[in-house]
Amino acid sequence: MLTKVHVDVPCHPSWVPRDRLVSYTNDYYPMGRILPNTTDSEESLAQVQEWLRDCTAAHSHCGPGAASELPTRILDVGGQGGTGKVRLVAADEISTKFARYVCLSHCWGGEMAETAMLTTKTLNSLKGGILVETLPRVYQDAVHITKRLGIQYLWIDSMCILQDDDSDWDRESTSMASVYQGAFITIGATCSRSSNEGFIRLSNSTYASTLASSKCRTVGGQLFNLYVRQIVPHFTNEDVIAHPLLERAWVYQERLLSPRFLHFAREELVWECYEDTTCQCLSLPYRISDFASHPWHPETKRIYSKGIHSGQAQALAACWRNVVTDYHGLTLSFEKDRLRAVAGIADQISSVGADHDPGGPSLGRYIEGLWENSILEDLCWALWNPFRRWNLSSQEKGRQVKWHAQTWSWASIQDPSHQIQFRYTADQTKERFAEVPEFGYTNHLSACQKHVQYNYIRLKLRSSWETTLGETSKKGWEILGPEEWKVPIAIIPDYEWYNTANRDNLSVGNKVLCGLILSTQSNHGAGLVLVLVDAELGLYRRVGTFHIRLKEWRESYSHREKQMIVSLD
């Protein structure tokens, strides 16, 4: 039986009223825990060990944490004790090819010390061993925590992949997903902006506990002390600025693929695994409803796990679409990594399909961000709010010539402030007006496509028509239909056509091809807006999507449609 108690509490000057929190646990504030002084204290590490024991013993989706096959190269930190040095070793030089290891997830940021970069120049010195104190602070902290956990091996990307060898980088980056999947635990330097900013922190006095009463009693009459403190923020929209790691696109994949991920946050430790999300202060499980959907949502990992372990193709497809929506809003240093930084998740989703598990769910082949079995629905992706301000310069508002993903893929959208939306699913589709008889790779395309398997698709359109762009309206661009068609078609552009400084510029009067793709149960049609690139090859590029009311279209315009086969780059 719970009893309400009124106590007067001296508060820290920075504390703010949080009246909305009284909805927790039937009008009671959640029971919390006094935070340790530092995130590497004995109490903190004991908590991590407790989380590890619970996870490895009881979580079937996370696995028992058995020894995994070691990556190509890995750092030997010496386990507990050690020599004060770390040494780079090749897996094929170690007597056992299987062992537990830790991964580090971090922001590079700023200049990286030469000792922290594996290059052809530093290879021999790293193999010989270097002093931990010569490493950047984040790396020093990672070595410290790895040893405190009693684990001998640590994987850090910049020190285990040759940074001046493109072939080594390409080879190792393709297996990066398996590196994180095989890790016993991944340490997240979540509160550090760069490798030079350590992630082990002292607790902020704002969140220190204050003794409220020493005269509280349990139901059995036993006295206990009651402490209170300010609620610790947990990766909310307002607080994410203090946790820069969560905004990095590569890290999103690292979080989802690692069976266990330990965040070293600004005030405390936060634990994520496939079956649990919790923290040191204990308030996180009560605050899940506080979070809007975004990439750093505390439940992101568990939601993803439910999707990949669902055994249903529809749930797998929804899982992937959630990934794309979250992932696209994160930041990348290099546009060429747009698809590579999420390829490991695609591999994992594919690995639970029927191709690897006879009788299991399958999405078909992975086609540069889309899936074969839902290709028509996936092709109809659109921007959530295409008419908001673009966070790119006029030179960048088109698609970059040096490298861009295929225009039919959502990955061709380079402004992360614009959310990708998948409006159509297979169960919502009433009729399909197109098919994709072929997709492949050709060297005839001028854009650099080094990191893709497919760079064109052949699209057979049953209903298509050529028309011109009309004037913009309050709702955006419109396509001019024939004179007898009274209702224009609204377009959702993929970028600012009229405000680019390259080949992607379009204006009123330009010819476009409209290809109807599918209709929904509510009798709305969706299609692609295409622009001719090469008449000889029949090659088009996508520039947007359109939506129509099928009844009006059939009554006034369907007789003008024609069938054609086009190739999309």
Side-chain angles (χ1 to χ4, degrees):
M1 177 179 177
L2 294 173
T3 303
K4 291 188 177 182
V5 178
H6 174 80
V7 290
D8 293 319
V9 182
C11 297
H12 190 281
S14 67
W15 285 23
V16 294
R18 298 293 292 275
D19 290 343
R20 65 193 179 89
L21 297 181
V22 298
S23 62
Y24 292 150
T25 60
N26 299 321
D27 291 337
Y28 289 87
Y29 284 85
M31 186 68 72
R33 179 189 285 137
I34 297 175
L35 293 176
N37 291 329
T38 68
T39 49
D40 73 331
S41 66
E42 291 293 336
E43 187 177 349
S44 294
L45 269 293
Q47 177 63 78
V48 175
Q49 294 288 10
E50 181 182 331
W51 286 332
L52 284 169
R53 284 193 301 272
D54 291 346
C55 179
T56 55
H59 295 171
S60 59
H61 291 164
C62 304
S68 299
E69 184 175 1
L70 291 172
T72 305
R73 305 181 192 93
I74 200 156
L75 297 170
D76 185 344
V77 302
Q80 290 180 326
T83 63
K85 287 187 174 184
V86 294
R87 184 170 60 91
L88 182 70
V89 293
D92 57 14
E93 297 172 356
I94 303 174
S95 57
T96 175
K97 298 293 187 292
F98 293 83
R100 283 180 170 178
Y101 63 90
V102 173
C103 279
L104 173 66
S105 181
H106 66 107
C107 294
W108 284 36
E111 271 192 47
M112 186 77 75
E114 186 177 85
T115 54
M117 299 273 285
L118 175 61
T119 63
T120 50
K121 179 181 176 181
T122 62
L123 178 60
N124 288 334
S125 62
L126 288 176
K127 281 186 171 182
I130 60 172
L131 291 171
V132 174
E133 63 194 43
T134 65
L135 296 173
R137 279 296 305 280
V138 162
Y139 294 13
Q140 291 183 42
D141 287 352
V143 170
H144 172 67
I145 297 300
T146 301
K147 295 173 75 169
R148 291 282 299 278
L149 293 175
I151 298 176
Q152 184 174 355
Y153 298 110
L154 170 65
W155 191 88
I156 303 177
D157 50 6
S158 72
M159 296 186 70
C160 296
I161 301 176
L162 282 166
Q163 302 300 309
D164 60 350
D165 185 330
D166 288 343
S167 61
D168 190 73
W169 170 255
D170 288 342
R171 182 173 57 256
E172 292 301 312
S173 65
T174 59
S175 62
M176 205 177 294
S178 62
V179 171
Y180 284 95
Q181 284 177 284
F184 178 58
I185 188 171
T186 295
I187 294 170
T190 310
C191 62
S192 300
R193 297 194 169 278
S194 74
S195 59
N196 297 314
E197 185 181 324
F199 59 76
I200 295 173
R201 300 292 176 87
L202 293 171
S203 293
N204 190 325
S205 61
T206 303
Y207 305 102
S209 297
T210 301
L211 180 64
S213 175
S214 60
K215 299 179 181 180
C216 295
R217 291 183 182 273
T218 65
V219 175
Q222 185 178 356
L223 279 170
F224 68 91
N225 292 335
L226 175 67
Y227 294 84
V228 296
R229 57 167 164 72
Q230 174 75 299
I231 290 286
V232 177
H234 292 86
F235 304 167
T236 58
N237 286 321
E238 298 80 13
D239 192 55
V240 74
I241 192 170
H243 300 100
L245 187 72
L246 298 175
E247 299 184 273
R248 301 297 300 168
W250 277 103
V251 171
Y252 181 77
Q253 175 172 261
E254 293 162 10
R255 278 179 66 199
L256 294 194
L257 295 181
S258 301
R260 289 161 285 271
F261 198 102
L262 180 65
H263 294 275
F264 278 76
R266 182 176 57 180
E267 308 298 341
E268 61 170 346
L269 300 177
V270 176
W271 169 273
E272 288 184 311
C273 68
Y274 284 141
E275 299 188 34
D276 193 18
T277 303
T278 189
C279 63
Q280 276 183 290
C281 78
L282 290 182
S283 67
L284 184 56
Y286 296 94
R287 301 195 60 207
I288 294 302
S289 60
D290 267 9
F291 296 87
S293 177
H294 51 58
W296 48 88
H297 191 293
E299 288 284 84
T300 296
K301 191 174 181 67
R302 290 179 66 185
I303 293 170
Y304 173 75
S305 175
K306 288 179 182 178
I308 62 173
H309 295 108
S310 66
Q312 300 176 353
Q314 188 174 335
L316 274 180
C319 177
W320 173 253
R321 291 176 172 203
N322 287 337
V323 164
V324 171
T325 300
D326 283 349
Y327 168 79
H328 191 267
L330 301 173
T331 56
L332 278 168
S333 298
F334 304 102
E335 188 59 36
K336 61 184 175 60
D337 291 337
R338 177 72 60 191
L339 286 166
R340 288 204 295 180
V342 78
I345 296 176
D347 285 345
Q348 187 174 52
I349 288 177
S350 179
S351 72
V352 300
D355 293 340
H356 302 270
D357 176 19
S362 176
L363 301 184
R365 283 175 287 183
Y366 177 66
I367 312 169
E368 314 310 334
L370 315 181
W371 293 91
E372 180 181 19
N373 291 356
S374 57
I375 187 69
L376 294 181
E377 289 79 11
D378 288 357
L379 280 171
C380 293
W381 60 265
L383 300 187
W384 177 257
N385 185 5
F387 304 111
R388 63 176 287 181
R389 182 180 178 87
W390 289 73
N391 292 335
L392 296 172
S393 70
S394 60
Q395 294 289 333
E396 298 171 319
K397 285 174 180 173
R399 292 178 167 113
Q400 296 178 13
V401 175
K402 185 176 181 181
W403 196 95
H404 66 74
Q406 288 60 44
T407 62
W408 40 266
S409 172
W410 54 264
S412 64
I413 303 301
Q414 296 164 353
D415 185 349
S417 68
H418 284 262
Q419 190 177 47
I420 302 297
Q421 180 187 32
F422 291 94
R423 296 188 174 192
Y424 307 102
T425 59
D427 60 316
Q428 295 173 331
T429 300
K430 181 178 181 180
E431 185 177 359
R432 292 177 173 83
F433 292 86
E435 59 183 275
V436 179
E438 179 187 357
F439 41 87
Y441 190 95
T442 176
N443 292 320
H444 292 157
L445 301 183
S446 57
C448 173
Q449 305 292 350
K450 180 179 178 182
H451 304 295
V452 299
Q453 184 176 359
Y454 305 104
N455 67 354
Y456 79 90
I457 62 173
R458 196 89 65 199
L459 190 61
K460 185 176 182 180
L461 299 170
R462 180 152 56 92
S463 301
S464 64
W465 59 93
E466 291 181 340
T467 185
T468 57
L469 290 179
E471 296 284 352
T472 57
S473 68
K474 290 183 179 179
K475 293 184 179 180
W477 285 87
E478 294 177 344
I479 297 173
L480 296 177
E483 188 174 336
E484 66 269 27
W485 195 1
K486 304 303 182 184
V487 182
I489 305 174
I491 301 174
I492 300 179
D494 290 345
Y495 60 91
E496 284 189 297
W497 300 336
Y498 55 90
N499 195 21
T500 64
N502 55 35
R503 70 180 187 124
D504 292 322
N505 182 271
L506 295 174
S507 57
V508 174
N510 277 132
K511 294 288 184 182
V512 293
L513 176 69
C514 297
L516 189 61
I517 301 298
L518 56 83
S519 67
T520 66
Q521 301 293 341
S522 58
N523 285 317
H524 282 77
L528 305 182
V529 183
L530 311 173
V531 171
L532 184 64
V533 175
D534 189 316
E536 185 177 346
L537 294 175
L539 189 64
Y540 288 77
R541 73 175 187 271
R542 170 182 156 150
V543 295
T545 57
F546 69 85
H547 305 276
I548 59 174
R549 293 189 290 271
L550 277 183
K551 182 179 178 182
E552 295 175 355
W553 170 74
R554 285 193 165 110
E555 289 175 351
S556 61
Y557 198 41
S558 61
H559 64 282
R560 292 174 178 263
E561 67 182 358
K562 62 179 180 180
Q563 296 187 20
M564 63 187 303
I565 297 177
V566 301
S567 295
L568 298 184
D569 76 347

